Amino acid sequence: YEKLLRQLHQASSALSDPVMQEKAARLEQISARIFALAEKDASKQEQLRKFISYYLPTSLKLLNTYAQLDSQGVAGENITRTKQSIQRSLDLLVTAFENQLDKLFQSDALDVSADIAALEGMLNLDGLSGDSGFSVQP
């Protein structure tokens, strides 16, 4: 994970466009959070297989390509069009990385929902939920 984060940071540092630097920094931040979760919970690592083997390397390739094109000092049609395409792709990738992070909490959310439903059921069964029909009038 550290190696991938280092590569993301290096790719981000090679960019001169502040907007692209911000997008790359966001990818790095989200990736760090994703990796932190994976390190804490090994069961989440399986969910990250495609993220680590495809999405992250492709993101790095796009960032490095953008930096390379930007360093040419020429605004030709192919360079400009490719850079614009990469900019749009990074917007998609930021959203995808955010969704990946959110998806890692899916099983936790299901566990919490089940715990809450069980708790509410037990409280109702034991007459502790406050829905007993008994009320105290002041």
Side-chain angles (χ1 to χ4, degrees):
Y1 297 142
E2 289 299 320
K3 179 182 176 187
L4 290 169
L5 287 175
R6 204 171 27 258
Q7 289 174 344
L8 258 178
H9 185 75
Q10 289 170 345
S12 176
S13 298
L15 300 169
S16 62
D17 180 343
V19 173
M20 290 297 287
Q21 286 176 337
E22 185 178 317
K23 291 175 186 182
R26 183 71 180 141
L27 291 178
E28 185 180 349
Q29 291 170 342
I30 298 165
S31 295
R33 290 180 187 162
I34 288 170
F35 293 154
L37 285 171
E39 286 177 343
K40 286 182 185 175
D41 184 353
S43 68
K44 295 188 185 308
Q45 292 176 3
E46 180 62 32
Q47 296 175 24
L48 296 176
R49 190 173 303 236
K50 189 180 276 187
F51 176 78
I52 292 171
S53 67
Y54 179 73
Y55 294 116
L56 200 52
T58 301
S59 300
L60 286 167
K61 180 180 177 185
L62 292 174
L63 290 170
N64 289 326
T65 300
Y66 189 94
Q68 181 185 14
L69 293 172
D70 204 33
S71 70
Q72 299 306 308
V74 176
E77 183 180 331
N78 289 323
I79 290 174
T80 301
R81 190 173 17 145
T82 302
K83 284 172 54 179
Q84 289 171 345
S85 180
I86 292 171
Q87 288 171 343
R88 285 190 305 275
S89 294
L90 279 188
D91 289 333
L92 287 172
L93 285 168
V94 167
T95 300
F97 280 37
E98 289 170 347
N99 289 338
Q100 178 67 66
L101 178 61
D102 186 60
K103 194 174 179 182
L104 289 175
F105 287 100
Q106 185 174 15
S107 63
D108 296 337
L110 289 173
D111 288 347
V112 167
S113 293
D115 289 343
I116 290 171
L119 175 67
E120 289 173 349
M122 292 289 292
L123 289 171
N124 284 332
L125 185 66
D126 292 336
L128 300 174
S129 67
D131 292 337
S132 64
F134 177 75
S135 63
V136 176
Q137 301 280 331

